Amino acid sequence: MSVTHALAAARPNRWRAAAGRVTAGALLLTAVALLPWLSGTDPARTVLRARSADQNPTPGELDALRQQLGLDEGPLAHLAHWLGRLPHGDAGVSWVSGEPVLPQVTTALSVSLTLMLGALLVTVLVAGLVCARTVVLGARRRLRRDRAATGAAVLAALPKFLLASVLATVCGVWWGWFPSSGWEGPRWMVLPSLALGIPSGAMIGGLLDQALPAAFHEPWARTAYAVGLPPRHIARDALRRTLPGVLPQLLPSVVALVGGAVAVEQIFNIPGLGRLALDAAVAQDLPVLQTATLTLVLLGVGAGVLIRALRHALLGRPLRDGALPALHRPLLAPPRFVRWIVLCCAVFLLALVTAGLLRDPSQVDTTARLLPPSPDHPLGTDALGRDLLARLGHGALRTTGVALAVTVVCVIAGLLLGMASRVSAGLTEVVATLPAVLAGLLVAGVTGPSVWGAAGAVCVVGWSPYAAQTAALLEQERASGHIAAAVALGAGRLYLLRRHLLPAVVPALVRNALLRLPTAVLVLASLGFLGLGAQPPAPEWGRLLSENQPYVELAPWTVLGPAGALVLLSVLAVSGSALRRDTA
């Protein structure tokens, strides 16, 4: 009876999800079609500049191009014509190059998918290394202490574009192990896959490492150990129990790299879909941009459906029959050095910020360009001779304040939308693969370039990881036996939400948010670097990384300061959360 009821209820849910995907994709394509008109710029002038870099085209040239491209008909008419040609395999021609769009997008997609698979492999390996200790000790019933997740926080906080620059310089140029530029074969994908996969693997591994103790604490694990089952069997079943709650993070963390790995693609000169979409957005080349956006939407929907099917296969009949035991973390002893880690990070960060605030962040000295660390300049100077310690200190409040505000908004939005997963499932899949740069261009077209405009753009796409995690955890919690018992005893929806559902979801969301806090800083920096966020000479940490990234090989100290501050902030947040959990 329960299986029949579940199948009957699943059909309308699938229709709702399909309708949500179509609606979200249609809204996104419409917004992309409106991009030139939202930005208030003349698309004909932008396209002509992209073609020939002519800064002052004549009115006659502009009128001729408008007639050629059909711009006078308006954006919706252009979108309708483009959609009408798609069933015939015609995505139009590029407004800039005049070449057919579909071959360009197909070639770029194949490159990005290959890079994504390489990054996925690195992600799995790094995630396995991060949680290996917990798996080994838990399977042998020797897990006595909690983890501070310091190593995962350090790796997750590494800026992808900075890691790419270091790998290209050290492993590509200095040591000559792998090619540092281009895309011609398997050897060319090693370094970019490492740059993309290491932070993603640390993030997913950290989430999995925090979930595993609850699985090893379940009665089945104790029984399996008591009857003498091999530890590898217990470890396998524990991973199968916890993976479904972490798998949805693959969509925004790994699959989104197809369109979001723009900085890494530029550093390694990879002709991927992210670079193609960004170049098309900047040039307002709508046929290319719309085709790339539709490709990302289809990829996100396909990956979301595949991940959902894999989750249900791992959980099996207990999920369908509502007989899934709830996961509850055991009370483990606190890490031995977590208090010292928190104290050292806090003192060091406070000392850096205080010392920086006593200096002038805007003083330019062209005779002191790119000076190494010294008593006069403890962190060195940048390309304009400005003191990096001063800029780091004065940018601390803005960086942490905006990043925290963005993270809080994204967590709350993700929680609310994840709770309405029947309606928002399609929207989550579509938004998860939308590059933040494209969202920044759309938001900046309405609000203009500003810090809060960039923050709004990050909020537009940043809620999807939390919504996916919320939906997955709630689905598992609702299928547990204690929820059915509470309902049988007369518990209402508000009681279930307050006493059962939210306590099962919020702690995991907070851990995810703390691991992603440096990512919010870096995404804001990438938007500022493109002129969509904080404008020069604002001393913002992410902007410091973006501005000094070209000097990594010549003056590595220019990025060590802000990168180290980001790592300290991430370790402080994650370790502080572990300390609070242990003392609660």
Side-chain angles (χ1 to χ4, degrees):
M1 182 66 181
S2 61
V3 175
T4 305
H5 178 73
L7 292 175
R11 295 190 185 96
N13 290 345
R14 292 171 183 170
W15 282 110
R16 289 193 191 99
R21 296 179 183 111
V22 173
T23 303
L27 290 175
L28 178 57
L29 288 175
T30 303
V32 168
L34 292 171
L35 177 61
W37 287 265
L38 288 174
S39 62
T41 60
D42 184 357
R45 186 180 298 274
T46 305
V47 171
L48 278 177
R49 287 177 179 175
R51 286 181 177 180
S52 60
D54 185 5
Q55 299 298 315
N56 295 300
T58 64
E61 292 174 334
L62 293 173
D63 291 337
L65 185 62
R66 290 191 191 98
Q67 293 181 1
Q68 176 189 349
L69 302 180
L71 295 176
D72 293 333
E73 299 179 5
L76 297 182
H78 164 75
L79 178 62
H81 293 325
W82 176 77
L83 290 173
R85 292 193 299 265
L86 279 181
H88 304 287
D90 181 14
V93 297
S94 169
W95 287 357
V96 175
S97 66
E99 298 178 357
V101 170
L102 206 54
Q104 297 181 54
V105 174
T106 303
T107 302
L109 177 62
S110 63
V111 171
S112 291
L113 285 177
T114 306
L115 180 59
M116 183 199 73
L117 292 176
L120 178 61
L121 177 61
V122 175
T123 297
V124 172
L125 292 176
V126 173
L129 291 175
V130 168
C131 63
R133 174 185 174 277
T134 301
V135 171
V136 172
L137 295 180
R140 289 167 171 79
R141 306 293 297 172
R142 297 177 184 173
L143 196 60
R144 301 290 183 267
R145 292 189 175 273
D146 202 353
R147 294 287 300 275
T150 304
V154 170
L155 294 178
L158 291 177
K160 290 184 175 67
F161 63 86
L162 178 59
L163 185 58
S165 298
V166 172
L167 289 174
T169 301
V170 176
C171 299
V173 178
W174 292 355
W175 297 344
W177 289 353
F178 299 100
S180 60
S181 179
W183 188 265
E184 299 180 18
R187 294 181 69 245
W188 276 260
M189 66 182 291
V190 174
L191 296 183
S193 297
L194 289 173
L196 295 171
I198 289 176
S200 299
M203 186 176 303
I204 292 175
L207 296 174
L208 187 60
D209 187 66
Q210 293 296 317
L212 278 168
F216 287 122
H217 188 64
E218 286 188 320
W220 68 263
R222 296 196 296 269
T223 304
Y225 180 79
V227 300
L229 284 182
R232 65 177 183 274
H233 288 213
I234 302 175
R236 179 196 61 196
D237 291 338
L239 286 171
R240 180 173 181 175
R241 180 69 180 89
T242 53
L243 271 175
V246 180
L247 276 178
Q249 300 304 303
L250 288 176
L251 189 60
S253 299
V254 179
V255 178
L257 295 177
V258 172
V262 180
V264 174
E265 289 177 353
Q266 289 179 333
I267 291 171
F268 289 102
N269 194 26
I270 298 174
L273 190 61
R275 282 184 66 187
L276 182 66
L278 176 61
D279 293 341
V282 172
Q284 296 187 358
D285 191 352
L286 287 188
V288 176
L289 181 59
Q290 290 173 166
T291 307
T293 303
L294 179 61
T295 303
L296 291 174
V297 169
L298 295 176
L299 176 66
V301 169
V305 172
L306 180 62
I307 289 173
R308 182 180 294 271
L310 183 57
R311 285 186 61 251
H312 288 187
L314 287 173
L315 292 174
R317 292 193 63 176
L319 178 66
R320 296 192 299 270
D321 295 344
L324 195 66
L327 288 173
H328 297 289
R329 282 182 58 86
L331 294 176
L332 301 175
R336 293 175 179 174
F337 303 109
V338 66
R339 290 177 176 83
W340 288 106
I341 291 175
V342 172
L343 181 62
C344 291
C345 289
V347 170
F348 201 67
L349 264 180
L350 183 61
L352 281 176
V353 172
T354 303
L357 289 174
L358 300 177
R359 296 166 176 262
D360 185 2
S362 302
Q363 183 180 357
V364 176
D365 184 1
T366 55
T367 62
R369 297 176 63 251
L370 299 178
L371 290 181
S374 65
D376 292 333
H377 304 285
L379 295 182
T381 61
D382 63 8
L384 295 178
R386 295 173 296 190
D387 186 81
L388 286 172
L389 179 59
R391 296 182 64 74
L392 186 70
H394 282 266
L397 183 60
R398 173 182 298 199
T399 300
T400 55
V402 175
L404 282 173
V406 166
T407 302
V408 169
V409 171
C410 290
V411 169
I412 294 175
L415 178 63
L416 295 177
L417 289 170
M419 291 167 61
S421 59
R422 295 179 180 179
V423 179
S424 65
L427 179 63
T428 302
E429 295 165 357
V430 170
V431 172
T433 53
L434 177 65
V437 172
L438 180 55
L441 289 170
L442 294 173
V443 173
V446 179
T447 65
S450 65
V451 175
W452 294 110
V458 178
C459 291
V460 167
V461 297
W463 58 267
S464 60
Y466 309 112
Q469 186 179 23
T470 299
L473 295 178
L474 283 179
E475 185 181 26
Q476 295 176 209
E477 191 69 14
R478 289 190 179 110
S480 60
H482 73 277
I483 296 292
V487 172
L489 293 173
R493 291 185 178 182
L494 289 179
Y495 180 88
L496 291 175
L497 184 66
R498 186 177 69 253
R499 300 297 298 272
H500 294 284
L501 299 180
L502 287 181
V505 172
V506 172
L509 280 185
V510 171
R511 291 192 292 269
N512 193 0
L514 292 175
L515 282 171
R516 291 183 180 275
L517 182 60
T519 303
V521 176
L522 296 174
V523 174
L524 289 168
S526 65
L527 296 177
F529 191 67
L530 294 173
L532 303 175
Q535 302 300 303
E540 194 264 340
W541 289 0
R543 172 163 282 280
L544 294 183
L545 287 169
S546 299
E547 289 176 343
N548 295 307
Q549 182 267 331
Y551 309 104
V552 169
E553 183 176 359
L554 177 64
W557 56 85
T558 56
V559 298
L560 287 179
L566 272 180
V567 170
L568 286 175
L569 178 64
S570 179
V571 172
L572 178 62
V574 174
S575 300
S577 173
L579 180 61
R580 182 180 181 275
R581 185 174 64 246
D582 294 325
T583 56

